[in-house]
């Protein structure tokens, strides 16, 4: 597997995914307003949270075992049986809990939750299999299908008066298409399930299930608890949820490259670990961390200056209530950029138990922080709770990983990025004082100015310039060949 090429393919796909997703969010935000999104986002949150027991780590365990290269068909067949049994059992429970689900969502969506959950879980399983086959780059197209369907189908149904149901049906159609394409691409045949392979999957999954809690909890626990406060009538509205989740999605843009690298790196580190190539793992991780850090630091500085303008111009004045939450969430992407790779690396070297301890500890803190801080500060409290617990999670992962690998963080390069970001911030703030931002074109112009200033400043530091040349030259050669 060509790591650089796989990373750039996934990154390109996720850029397209983000662009299409933001176009959809922008269109639906302006057309529907924040309140309908305050129903749609809890729908996604419920899918994400229910996905934890519906998965139980089987997806990650199957990916891990297939990436090791032995008994691929048997592991696929066993994993598929285990996965299907769990998903359908959870779906049955949900089916009989429809009244409570509808009350939570504020709309009659319980049956759609069940249908979407089944298709989504099976579709994500196909992606894990492709990752295990070291075919990460081939999953790039799947990153685009769902948001594109959400935009096209959702907008078509919105024009016909379906309201919030247009968003849900658009998401469901995208989920169906992504699942179909994913399974069509899988090349491993489905082998006969065995008890031995089931034990092997459970040995890994019991800890992987817990470590995967971290990602879902940080993505959806805040929205879930905010929704409960709405149901209970305590200080939060569905419009607040819509504004908060839009701010969260806006902050995620800076994580695209880091997540792409981590996604591509997991199966490769797993293979290196099976071959005892520790030195290759130790040299790959710091190199992989650097590009992500070089993006999230200036993004935070830019958000600090342009937070209100970003929300107002992209989504509408109703969404500026989340401007301070956006700044906090953008700051949180700095430790999250480290966590994404550290967590994948710890699982890849076959220590899901340690990743699980870190994840469950910080997830519990995240829940407690959210309840207390949302009660006191609303959506800003949700942002502070999420970022604070994520910092703890990152520190724990770094501590555990350093017990087995000698990892040196690129601190000098990060410090220079802070200096370059400060220079960019001065330029952007000065331009902001001179220009009254009222359109997307003006906003983009100031962002482009910031990018130019930052790029020039960061490349004046020779180690970063040389590393960029060393990385990009073979990558460009490979891509054009």
């Amino acid at each position: 597997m060509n790591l650089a090429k796989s990373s750039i393919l996934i990154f390109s796909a996720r850029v397209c995914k983000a662009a299409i997703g933001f176009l959809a969010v922008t269109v639906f935000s302006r057309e529907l307003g924040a309140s309908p999104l305050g129903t749609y986002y809890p729908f996604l949150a419920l899918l994400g949270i229910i996905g934890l027991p519906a998965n139980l780590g089987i997806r990650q365990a199957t990916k891990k075992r297939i990436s090791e290269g032995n008994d691929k068909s048997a592991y696929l067949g066993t994993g598929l049986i285990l996965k299907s049994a769990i998903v359908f059992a959870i779906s049955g429970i949900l089916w009989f809990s429809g009244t409570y689900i509808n009350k939570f969502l504020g709309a009659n969506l319980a049956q759609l939750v069940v249908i979407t959950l089944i298709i989504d879980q099976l579709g994500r399983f196909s992606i894990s299999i492709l990752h295990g086959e070291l075919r990460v780059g081939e999953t790039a197209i799947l990153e685009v299908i769902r948001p594109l369907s959400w935009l096209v189908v959702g907008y078509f149904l919105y024009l016909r008066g379906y309201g919030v149901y247009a968003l849900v049906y658009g998401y469901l159609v995208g989920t169906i298409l992504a699942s179909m394409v994913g399974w069509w691409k899988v090349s491993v045949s489905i082998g006969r399930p065995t008890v031995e392979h089931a034990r092997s999957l459970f040995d890994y999954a019991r800890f992987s299930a817990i470590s995967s809690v971290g990602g879902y909890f940080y993505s959806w626990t805040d929205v879930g608890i905010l929704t409960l406060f709405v149901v209970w009538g305590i200080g939060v509205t569905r419009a607040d949820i819509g504004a908060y989740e839009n701010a969260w999605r806006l902050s995620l843009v800076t994580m695209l490259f880091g997540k792409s690298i981590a996604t591509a790196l997991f199966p490769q580190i797993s293979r290196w670990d099976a071959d005892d190539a520790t030195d290759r793992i130790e040299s790959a991780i710091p190199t992989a961390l650097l590009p992500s850090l070089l993006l999230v630091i200036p993004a935070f500085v830019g958000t600090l200056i342009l937070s209100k303008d970003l929300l107002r111009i992209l989504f509408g004045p109703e969404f500026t209530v989340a401007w301070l939450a956006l700044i906090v969430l953008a700051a949180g992407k700095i430790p999250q950029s480290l966590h994404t790779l550290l967590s994948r690396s710890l699982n890849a070297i076959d220590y899901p138990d340690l990743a699980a301890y870190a994840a469950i500890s910080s997830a519990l803190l995240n829940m407690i922080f959210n309840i207390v801080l949302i009660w006191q500060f609303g959506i800003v409290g949700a942002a502070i709770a999420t970022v604070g617990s994520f910092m703890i999670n990152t520190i724990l992962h770094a501590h555990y990983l350093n017990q087995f690998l000698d990892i040196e963080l690129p601190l000098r390069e990060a410090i220079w990025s802070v200096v370059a970001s400060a220079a960019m911030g001065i330029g952007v703030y000065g331009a902001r004082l001179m220009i009254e931002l009222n359109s997307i074109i003006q906003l983009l112009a100031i962002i482009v100015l910031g990018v130019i200033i930052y790029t020039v400043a960061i490349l004046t530091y020779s180690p970063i310039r040389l590393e960029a040349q060393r990385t990009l030259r073979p990558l460009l050669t490979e891509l054009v060949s």
Side-chain angles (χ1 to χ4, degrees), residues 300-318:
F300 164 66
V301 174
T303 303
L304 188 64
I305 299 169
L306 299 174
S307 177
K308 283 187 178 180
D309 296 312
L310 288 166
L311 293 169
R312 174 176 55 84
I313 293 175
L314 290 175
F315 308 126
E318 185 180 6

Side-chain angles (χ1 to χ4, degrees), residues 254-255 257-258 261 288-297 337-338:
T254 59
M255 292 296 300
F257 198 47
I261 295 173
L289 285 172
L290 181 58
S292 185
L293 280 174
L294 296 182
L295 289 177
V296 295
I297 294 173
S337 68
L338 300 175

Side-chain angles (χ1 to χ4, degrees), residues 115-359:
I115 295 170
T116 307
L117 175 70
I118 295 172
I119 299 171
D120 181 54
Q121 287 295 312
L122 294 177
R124 292 180 189 276
F125 193 69
S126 70
I127 295 175
S128 293
I129 297 166
L130 291 170
H131 287 179
E133 293 183 69
L134 305 185
R135 296 165 59 197
V136 176
E138 295 182 40
T139 65
I141 184 63
L142 304 180
E143 299 279 349
V144 181
I145 290 176
R146 190 172 351 225
L148 183 60
S149 296
W150 183 46
L151 172 60
V152 175
V153 177
Y155 191 67
F156 175 80
L157 294 176
Y158 158 73
L159 292 177
R160 277 149 184 77
Y162 279 79
V164 70
Y165 291 92
L167 307 181
V168 175
Y169 284 127
Y171 184 88
L172 175 59
V173 170
T175 300
I176 294 171
L177 293 176
S179 181
M180 291 173 60
V181 174
W183 281 104
W184 174 68
K185 283 181 169 289
V186 169
S187 63
V188 177
S189 59
I190 300 176
R192 182 173 63 88
T194 70
V195 174
E196 178 185 355
H197 290 93
R199 285 200 190 99
S200 178
L201 289 176
F202 275 123
D203 283 343
Y204 188 92
R206 57 180 176 166
F207 294 112
S208 179
I210 300 174
S211 63
S212 67
V213 167
Y216 284 110
F217 261 65
Y218 293 114
S219 296
W220 294 118
T221 295
D222 45 6
V223 173
I225 295 175
L226 283 168
T227 305
L228 287 176
F229 273 71
V230 172
V231 174
W232 296 333
I234 306 176
V236 180
T237 66
R238 291 200 179 270
D240 290 334
I241 296 175
Y244 176 82
E245 181 62 20
N246 275 16
W248 169 268
R249 292 183 174 225
L250 189 57
S251 72
L252 282 179
V253 173
T254 59
M255 292 296 300
L256 291 176
F257 198 47
K259 285 188 174 181
S260 303
I261 295 173
T263 300
L265 197 59
F266 176 92
Q268 186 63 73
I269 289 180
S270 178
R271 182 62 58 85
W272 285 337
D273 180 61
D275 296 337
D276 293 322
T278 303
D279 56 332
R280 300 190 69 178
I281 300 175
E282 290 177 341
S283 63
I285 291 176
T287 301
L289 285 172
L290 181 58
S292 185
L293 280 174
L294 296 182
L295 289 177
V296 295
I297 294 173
F300 164 66
V301 174
T303 303
L304 188 64
I305 299 169
L306 299 174
S307 177
K308 283 187 178 180
D309 296 312
L310 288 166
L311 293 169
R312 174 176 55 84
I313 293 175
L314 290 175
F315 308 126
E318 185 180 6
F319 292 84
T320 57
V321 66
W323 72 272
L324 186 53
L326 175 58
I327 293 174
V328 175
L329 292 170
K333 295 305 172 247
I334 297 175
Q336 188 176 349
S337 68
L338 300 175
H339 170 270
T340 299
L341 192 59
L342 297 178
S343 176
R344 299 288 180 93
S345 299
L346 193 58
N347 279 281
I349 63 173
D350 216 6
Y351 284 99
D353 53 338
L354 297 179
Y357 297 147

Side-chain angles (χ1 to χ4, degrees), residues 44-68:
L44 297 184
L46 191 59
L47 285 175
I49 293 171
I50 294 172
L52 294 173
N55 180 36
L56 285 182
I58 298 299
R59 191 171 69 239
Q60 294 88 342
T62 306
K63 175 173 68 173
K64 169 63 178 172
R65 297 307 182 217
I66 289 177
S67 72
E68 292 172 343

Side-chain angles (χ1 to χ4, degrees), residues 411-421 457-461 464:
L411 293 178
R412 291 183 179 178
E413 290 83 356
I415 291 172
W416 186 255
S417 177
V418 172
V419 174
S421 298
I458 201 69
L459 291 180
T460 59
Y461 186 55
I464 293 179

